[in-house]
Each structure stands twice: as structure tokens, then as C-alpha cells.
Amino acid sequence: MLSRRTFLTAAAASAAIPSYARIASAQTPANIVVMAMAIDDVVNGFDPAEAYVGTDYEITSNVYRMLVTLDPEDGTRYIGDLAESWEISEDGMSILFTLKEGVVFESGNPVTAEDVRWSIWRLMALGQYPASDFALLGWSFDAIDEIIEARDERTFVIHMPEVRAHGTVLNTLASPRGCVVDKATVLEHEVDGDHGNQWLRTHSAGAGSYVLTEWLAGDRIILDANPTAEVQPNVPRLLIRNVADPATQLLLLEQDDIDIARNLGSDQLPAVREQSDLVEVSALTTAQMNLCMNQANEILSNPKVIEALKWAVDGEAIANNITPGIWDVWQASFLPSNVRGAAPSTFYKDSDRARALLAEAGYPDGFDITMDHFSSWPWANIAQAIQSDMAEIGVNVQLIAAETGQVITKYRAREHELVLIYWATNLYDPDYNARTWCINTDDSDDSELKTQAWRNHFIDDDMAARADAAGKELDEDVRMEMYEQLQIDFMDRAPVSWLLQLRDIAVHREETPGLHMGGLAYLNRFAGITKS
């Protein structure tokens, strides 16, 4: 780690580091790490109260800090981040957090309980999608002042409006929803009552190891060391280049034009494993690839059609032939295989069964449908495989390829018919996925709970009630039994075909170790990266 004496400030690092254009065609210097990955999923930048896709999470969690975080060695255990300790009341209805002393933001302002309170208040006031995570806990903006309290500079209290399994509350605070921003700095940049939203999309106001220096959509992200951070990064600048093509990433890595490649595909990994100067690291993530079906479409509102499409797709063939070692087959339910309580995979390709179901549904000759998908690898390849599988049962799928951000935006707006997309749970606790995939109590466009069920117009009052009850059950054994049955019913009823689960693989040059892969995007940490 750099000492205070040798540490480069952001300004000094900017002067010492070659321009982006030179970096793109020269070996990377020792005071900068260049990482290549697909970053076109970023839509509106990095305000933690608004951002919620994979790249957003990686950036915000390295720029900001939360009250608590997940233990890097045990994702079911919580450890303090900004919080020194916490205490749950005897009746289970409140949690008191005591903050560490001496932690400051990048501005030099001290981190206080008021910053914690205001960060959550601000998130709920903006009312963007991340606010739904707290709404799933029974929190609302109208009652937020009664729920969160800054008792003094170092004491923050949550008064829960209803009983809730405590793991779900701590998990939410440990996710990017719990990012704590510098209230004073953000309010200096407030425009027309936006609570600093426009400014925070392209700037940072955190206490993490890095500050956000630049984001050029679809091109690059630059992070510089935060000179006031408690945990100083080993390298003063991290440049993240948008390189979507895996073959190009490998070529850049071999030419020493980048230090780390994040999206190598199955075709590139054999070549990596033959080169002694390249090192592979990986972690099983909670990201699941799924085929979502919008029940606003009359055809897709038929449960027999939904079931038929699930039996049509050959997930095993896709995993073996397109994504070996990267995306593993997991044709199960709403919990990934590495989350406690996950039910085993049950679906597989059965074209005869699928055709029979379509006939029962009144579509013996199939139908025409569109499917949106990301244009990058492996999405385009998998979309073509699904198209072929669907054709075998008479369903004619028209593929619509687009950049990641465009597909996500269309899905958010509920304008899809079929969409091949991914979902990565924010929490290792099963409550989060159960709620977002099973609960849709208000299907209107201005619903406060814009859950994944809402995105697909999926309404099942029975499953919604059971998901809510499981999240409030304090007996963990009983709770897991409730989730198991809920997953079985979800597989039968829901307009979602789960297909694959992602293994996050990074390849770095031998002289650039230290990237921590946490399984969840917001647990990937950059500060430990070193470069010799």
C-alpha cells in the first residue's frame, strides 16, 4: 500500500498519467491499472439513490461506504463498515447503530449519523427504483421521518414500522441502497430541488477508497484514490475501459494494453490457461439469466403458454456449448443456487411436452412473438439458441438486439414481449428475491413497488401474501420451509424461465493481483489491486 509520503493526489495523478488515447495504444504505466469490461449497462450514472445495475454497483461500492457490509469470507455474516457496532432491541422493533469515530468523506467532512439518516431519506424522497428495496421492508417516504433517527453525531436508530426478519434489514443496508453520501456537499450541488441527483450522476461524495473522476458513457470510467479514505488503494488510478468483445479483451491483455479483463468468454479461457503470465480468479455470483414474459401480452397471460416456453429451452445445451465454465445451467426458481433456501432446478428441454401444452392453450400451430436481448456475447448467441428451440414447438421468435442499457430501459418501461435479461439479487437473504418476484400489489404505472413481478404484469395474490409472511417469520427453519414451497409454486405459475447462473471470472496479468471477487457486484473490491 502506498504510504502518505508517496501517495499521489487525484490532481497529481492526472498530471503524471498518460492521456486515455495514449493508454489505449501503449503498455499501461505502473501508477495506473486499466481494466476492460462491458460497461454499457450504465444508464444514468452513479447516484446510489438511482443506479442499480451491475457496473453501477461495482463503482458505488468502491466510492461509498455503508453502515454494515457482508463478510467477504461468509456472505451470510454481517460486519461493520461505518458502524462500529449495532444492537437489536428486545422486542425486535428497533436497531441502534454506533458509528466509528474519525471517518471522513472525500471532502474532509466527518461522517455523521445525520449523513446516514439523510442518505436514506434522500433515496426515499427521489423515489427511484432503489427506493423499492426499502419499500419492500414496509418503509414509505410519508413515514420515513418516524423510521430513521439521528440521535446524535454517532448514533443512528431504525424504528421498524412492522416486524421483519433482521437479516433482511441488515442486507438492505449492506447493499448499494445503504450508500452514505456527504449531505453538505450534495446539497451544495442541488438544482431545482433534485437533491443533487444530476450532479451525483457524474460525481461522487463518499468515504470509500476511490472518488469518481470521469464517466464517459459507453467509453470509460476513471476512479482516483480518495486521499481521505480510511482504506487507501494501492494504485492511485483505475481506468475502466468499455470493451464488450471478449476476443478484444484477450488481445489487449496479451499485448499488455490492459491489466485486467473482466468479460472473457468460454472461447478465450483455454488460451488464458496456457499462458503463465495470466492469472484467473473467479466467484460464483447470484446473477441469473432469465427469459421474462410480459403478461400484458394476451398470449403470454395464458399459464399453459408460460409453462410450454419453460419446457422448450435447452439450458443444458446452452451452458455446455455456448458458456461452458461461465454460465452454469440453473433452470430453477427465483433463488440462485448459492443462496440459502434455494430449491433445485427442475426444468429441462421437453419439446413434446411443450407442444402439448401449447395445444391445450389453444395454439396448436404456435404463434409469433418478439424477444429483446443484449447484442453482446453471449446474449446474441443464446438468443439464437432459444429462437431455434422455440421454433421446434412452432413459436416464431423475432429477435431484437440492442445495447444493454437500451434493453434494460425498455424492460423497465414494460414495453417488452419476451426479453432475455439477467437478475442479480442484492441480498443473500431469500426475502429480497421472494418479494421482488412474487409481490405486485399495485400494477399501475405509478406503483411505488416497481418489483420484477410488476415489470412483467405478474399478479398472484396468494404468492404475494406468502412471500410477505415469510419475510416476517422469525423462526429460520420455518422460514426456509416457506420459501421452498413458494419457489415450487413460482416455477409452476410465474412468467419467468430461469436458465443459467453466472460465474464471475476475471483474468489479470501476473504483476497485477489483488482484485477481490465477492460473488455480488457490490462486493467486488478494487483497493487491494497492486501493480509491480
Side-chain angles (χ1 to χ4, degrees):
M1 184 171 291
L2 294 176
S3 68
R4 288 287 181 179
R5 183 171 296 177
T6 60
F7 174 76
L8 289 175
T9 64
S14 298
I17 293 170
S19 70
Y20 174 73
R22 288 178 60 195
I23 290 168
S25 60
Q27 290 188 345
T28 63
N31 57 353
I32 182 171
V33 167
V34 182
M35 182 161 62
M37 59 188 284
I39 61 172
D40 61 353
D41 57 341
V42 182
V43 178
N44 291 321
F46 304 102
D47 182 345
E50 180 179 38
Y52 69 94
V53 294
T55 301
D56 294 332
Y57 288 165
E58 290 208 23
I59 300 306
T60 54
S61 61
N62 280 278
V63 166
Y64 296 94
R65 294 177 66 179
M66 301 81 160
L67 277 173
V68 296
T69 188
L70 296 174
D71 186 338
E73 306 304 325
D74 179 2
T76 65
R77 178 174 175 267
Y78 306 99
I79 58 176
D81 190 4
L82 291 174
E84 179 179 86
S85 62
W86 59 92
E87 181 181 347
I88 300 171
S89 64
E90 288 188 10
D91 62 4
M93 295 300 291
S94 67
I95 307 177
L96 183 150
F97 297 87
T98 301
L99 273 62
K100 297 176 181 177
E101 288 188 278
V103 181
V104 298
F105 291 108
E106 60 189 72
S107 65
N109 294 331
V111 177
T112 68
E114 174 58 20
D115 293 299
V116 178
R117 187 205 68 80
W118 188 77
S119 296
I120 297 174
W121 180 92
R122 175 181 177 275
L123 183 145
M124 298 298 289
L126 286 173
Q128 298 296 318
Y129 179 72
S132 64
D133 285 6
F134 285 111
L136 287 172
L137 297 175
W139 300 13
S140 68
F141 178 64
D142 290 341
I144 197 63
D145 289 333
E146 300 170 7
I147 296 171
I148 53 177
E149 174 194 1
R151 187 163 294 176
D152 55 44
E153 284 199 354
R154 293 183 56 212
T155 308
F156 172 74
V157 186
I158 292 175
H159 305 280
M160 287 183 281
E162 58 187 42
V163 66
R164 184 70 60 184
H166 302 125
T168 68
V169 180
L170 294 174
N171 250 190
T172 304
L173 293 171
S175 79
R177 312 302 186 244
C179 287
V180 177
V181 304
D182 181 347
K183 176 181 178 180
T185 296
V186 174
L187 287 178
E188 287 175 4
H189 299 279
E190 183 177 39
V191 177
D192 297 328
D194 74 343
H195 307 302
N197 170 247
Q198 287 292 327
W199 185 79
L200 270 185
R201 289 179 173 183
T202 56
H203 299 80
S204 59
S209 295
Y210 290 93
V211 299
L212 175 63
T213 297
E214 183 179 28
W215 167 51
L216 185 60
D219 187 73
R220 64 184 180 270
I221 301 166
I222 296 178
L223 302 180
D224 283 321
N226 173 9
T228 68
E230 184 178 16
V231 178
Q232 286 292 318
N234 292 319
V235 180
R237 172 166 286 192
L238 176 64
L239 165 63
I240 302 173
R241 293 178 54 186
N242 182 35
V243 182
D245 179 60
T248 303
Q249 286 195 19
L250 178 58
L251 179 62
L252 291 171
L253 193 66
E254 291 174 332
Q255 293 177 342
D256 200 14
D257 288 332
I258 63 172
D259 300 295
I260 304 171
R262 292 291 304 280
N263 306 111
L264 297 187
S266 300
D267 291 344
Q268 289 76 44
L269 290 179
V272 166
R273 291 161 184 164
E274 294 177 357
Q275 301 183 55
S276 60
D277 62 335
L278 299 181
V279 181
E280 178 183 337
V281 293
S282 70
L284 183 63
T285 76
T286 60
Q288 295 170 276
M289 186 182 299
N290 52 56
L291 183 63
C292 289
M293 314 167 197
N294 191 340
Q295 294 203 296
N297 180 297
E298 182 179 357
I299 297 173
L300 299 176
S301 67
N302 189 313
K304 295 292 184 182
V305 171
I306 293 295
E307 188 179 356
L309 297 188
K310 293 178 181 180
W311 289 108
V313 179
D314 193 341
E316 186 173 351
I318 292 171
N320 290 339
N321 299 321
I322 300 177
T323 62
I326 298 180
W327 286 93
D328 302 331
V329 63
W330 184 246
Q331 290 185 259
S333 193
F334 56 76
L335 290 183
S337 63
N338 54 339
V339 169
R340 191 160 56 97
S345 179
T346 57
F347 284 96
Y348 52 87
K349 183 177 180 179
D350 190 335
S351 298
D352 291 339
R353 186 171 184 172
R355 278 190 290 266
L357 286 164
L358 285 184
E360 289 180 42
Y363 300 97
D365 300 321
F367 52 86
D368 295 338
I369 200 83
T370 62
M371 182 170 75
D372 295 280
H373 65 89
F374 307 145
S375 57
S376 57
W377 185 93
W379 305 91
N381 311 65
I382 293 173
Q384 291 170 9
I386 293 173
Q387 182 186 47
S388 177
D389 286 339
M390 295 292 186
E392 291 184 26
I393 66 170
V395 176
N396 177 37
V397 178
Q398 177 189 347
L399 300 180
I400 304 174
E403 290 188 356
T404 304
Q406 292 175 298
V407 175
I408 291 173
T409 298
K410 186 174 181 179
Y411 177 54
R412 289 175 181 173
R414 306 198 288 183
E415 295 173 352
H416 62 291
E417 291 184 332
L418 300 178
V419 60
L420 180 66
I421 202 160
Y422 69 92
W423 169 256
T425 179
N426 294 325
L427 314 178
Y428 278 117
D429 190 282
D431 178 71
Y432 184 82
N433 268 16
R435 288 181 178 277
T436 196
W437 286 103
C438 298
I439 296 179
N440 179 17
T441 54
D442 178 3
D443 199 49
S444 65
D445 288 343
D446 58 355
S447 171
E448 289 188 8
L449 288 178
K450 292 181 172 62
T451 63
Q452 297 301 309
W454 176 88
R455 294 195 186 286
N456 294 289
H457 292 280
F458 174 54
I459 303 171
D460 189 309
D461 293 339
D462 169 64
M463 292 185 67
R466 288 160 55 199
D468 182 61
K472 297 175 180 177
E473 175 58 56
L474 299 182
D475 185 314
E476 284 299 297
D477 292 335
V478 172
R479 193 166 167 248
M480 291 306 114
E481 291 175 4
M482 296 170 73
Y483 285 125
E484 181 178 359
Q485 187 57 53
L486 192 60
Q487 288 173 87
I488 292 170
D489 293 341
F490 185 91
M491 285 185 262
D492 288 340
R493 305 180 198 173
V496 186
S497 178
W498 299 96
L499 302 173
L500 307 166
Q501 185 172 344
L502 178 65
R503 183 170 297 280
D504 197 0
I505 296 177
V507 177
H508 63 81
R509 299 192 61 78
E510 189 176 26
E511 65 270 21
T512 318
L515 171 65
H516 175 75
M517 307 290 284
L520 293 172
Y522 63 82
L523 295 179
N524 293 340
R525 292 290 186 266
F526 305 149
I529 299 172
T530 60
K531 188 169 183 178
S532 58

